[in-house]
């Protein structure tokens, strides 16, 4: 007679000591804890569809930038200029449309091209000078903010541009960056889409392996043929594009732009990435180490204040 099969010991299969050392575990527990706390004290509105959309939309404002910033941090670099890039890209769109009469779609394309140039310059300077990216992007942060304020005052004598809502009608690019498909703000869709696409790139492609190698040991990575310089420059370009994407959505949603928009957003993005499990030293990231935990937990707290 065959012996009865022993029950599967699920607890024995889990290495709790190893699990507790994972940096993303704290982020996940904190996000769940914050959610449960406000769910119990904020009333029924917090758990309603509209309440959920409210704090997810705030989280998406951070998450769109934090997803790109987290991948750059895995590669061992920082980009402190993303906040200034948001203000600069927004003013490029606003000024070219309202002051020079450009079509909205062309202004959006120019803003993205400008962000690619800024990202390339940041990455090229980091690789060429071998200065810490903290120093390079800190300088570009102040430079971008100053140029944005200067050119805006030159053309408008104020630091804000408005009246863009009338230009969105009939523009073929505008629906990609504004509206509420299926009742959900477009920023949330972009956040989820970028998270899935960049997550797949990071864990399922050779480029993702290069990102980890560049952040873990760049010298060893170069010796085995990883194009470290190209990887890091492309990631600086990615963070600049992420900041510009947020700027476009903000401009089209509010119908205005401001030179100070995006201020402190670089710190929020880095905080979301670190809380989500990325290491400041670089070279580490996991399928569960995601800035979504950090941005969601942070923004649930912000939304309730």
């Amino acid at each position: 007679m065959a012996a009865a099969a022993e029950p599967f010991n699920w607890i024995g299969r889990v290495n709790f000591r190893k699990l507790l050392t994972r940096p993303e575990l704290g982020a996940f527990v904190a996000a769940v804890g914050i959610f449960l706390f406000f769910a119990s004290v904020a009333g029924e509105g917090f758990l309603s569809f509209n309440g959920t959309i409210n704090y997810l939309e705030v989280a998406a404002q951070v998450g769109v930038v934090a997803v790109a910033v987290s991948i750059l941090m895995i590669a061992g670099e920082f980009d402190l200029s993303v906040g200034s890039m948001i203000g600069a890209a927004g003013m490029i769109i606003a000024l070219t449309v309202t002051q020079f009469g450009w079509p909205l779609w062309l202004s959006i394309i120019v803003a993205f091209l400008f962000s690619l140039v800024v990202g390339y310059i940041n990455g090229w300077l980091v690789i060429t000078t071998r200065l810490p990216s903290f120093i390079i992007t800190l300088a570009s942060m102040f430079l971008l903010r100053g140029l944005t304020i200067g050119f805006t005052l030159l053309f408008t004598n104020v630091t804000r541009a408005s009246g863009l809502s009338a230009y969105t009608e009939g523009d073929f690019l505008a629906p990609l960056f504004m509206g509420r498909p299926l009742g959900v703000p477009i920023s949330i869709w972009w956040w989820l889409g970028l998270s899935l696409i960049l997550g797949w790139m990071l864990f399922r492609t050779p480029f993702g392996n290069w990102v980890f190698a560049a952040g873990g040991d760049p010298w060893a990575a170069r010796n085995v043929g990883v194009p470290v310089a190209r990887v890091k420059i492309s990631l600086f370009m990615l963070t600049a594009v992420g900041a510009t994407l947020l700027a476009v959505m903000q401009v089209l949603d509010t119908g205005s732009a401001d030179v100070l928009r995006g201020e402190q957003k670089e710190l929020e993005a880095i905080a979301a990435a670190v809380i989500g499990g990325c290491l400041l030293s670089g070279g580490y990231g996991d399928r569960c180490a995601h800035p979504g935990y950090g941005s969601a937990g942070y923004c649930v707290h912000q939304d309730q204040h």
Side-chain angles (χ1 to χ4, degrees), residues 262-274:
E263 194 172 26
Q264 303 299 319
K265 193 64 70 177
E266 64 278 351
L267 300 182
E268 293 179 9
I270 292 174
V274 173

Side-chain angles (χ1 to χ4, degrees), residues 61-303:
Q61 299 281 313
V62 178
V64 166
V65 182
V67 170
V69 168
S70 64
I71 297 179
L72 179 64
M73 290 177 62
I74 291 174
E77 305 293 349
F78 288 96
D79 189 352
L80 298 179
S81 67
V82 291
S84 296
M85 188 72 244
I86 294 171
M91 291 309 304
I92 287 174
I93 296 172
L95 292 179
T96 53
V97 170
T98 60
Q99 299 296 317
F100 301 104
W102 289 17
L104 182 61
W105 63 267
L106 180 59
S107 298
I108 293 174
I109 292 175
V110 169
F112 277 110
L113 292 176
F114 176 75
S115 69
L116 288 172
V117 172
V118 172
Y120 180 87
I121 292 174
N122 281 339
W124 181 82
L125 287 175
V126 169
I127 297 300
T128 303
T129 64
R130 296 185 181 180
L131 289 172
S133 54
F134 179 91
I135 301 298
I136 298 294
T137 57
L138 181 66
S140 60
M141 176 185 74
F142 288 118
L143 181 62
L144 271 177
R145 189 71 74 185
L147 290 175
T148 303
I149 295 173
F151 277 106
T152 303
L153 289 174
L154 177 65
F155 290 113
T156 66
N157 291 322
V158 293
T159 59
R160 181 181 175 86
S162 57
L164 285 164
S165 298
Y167 296 93
T168 61
E169 298 179 6
D171 189 272
F172 73 94
L173 274 185
L176 294 175
F177 306 104
M178 62 183 299
R180 301 172 69 93
L182 302 179
V184 178
I186 195 69
S187 58
I188 298 178
W189 291 111
W190 273 106
W191 179 32
L192 294 176
L194 287 175
S195 299
L196 292 174
I197 293 172
L198 294 180
W200 173 83
M201 179 274 295
L202 191 61
F203 297 108
R204 287 289 184 266
T205 68
F207 185 83
N209 293 332
W210 294 350
V211 171
F212 284 104
D217 191 337
W219 296 107
R222 288 189 183 94
N223 291 335
V224 298
V226 175
V228 174
R230 191 170 69 191
V231 168
K232 292 192 175 186
I233 290 175
S234 64
L235 293 181
F236 276 105
M237 297 170 71
L238 176 64
T239 57
V241 168
T244 301
L245 173 60
L246 176 57
V248 173
M249 291 188 290
Q250 288 181 339
V251 167
L252 297 187
D253 181 56
T254 62
S256 65
D258 192 294
V259 296
L260 295 180
R261 191 166 289 170
E263 194 172 26
Q264 303 299 319
K265 193 64 70 177
E266 64 278 351
L267 300 182
E268 293 179 9
I270 292 174
V274 173
I275 294 172
C278 294
L279 299 183
L280 290 172
S281 57
Y284 180 84
D286 192 85
R287 292 170 181 83
C288 298
H290 201 282
Y293 296 148
S295 56
Y298 170 83
C299 294
V300 166
H301 177 270
Q302 291 291 96
D303 186 62

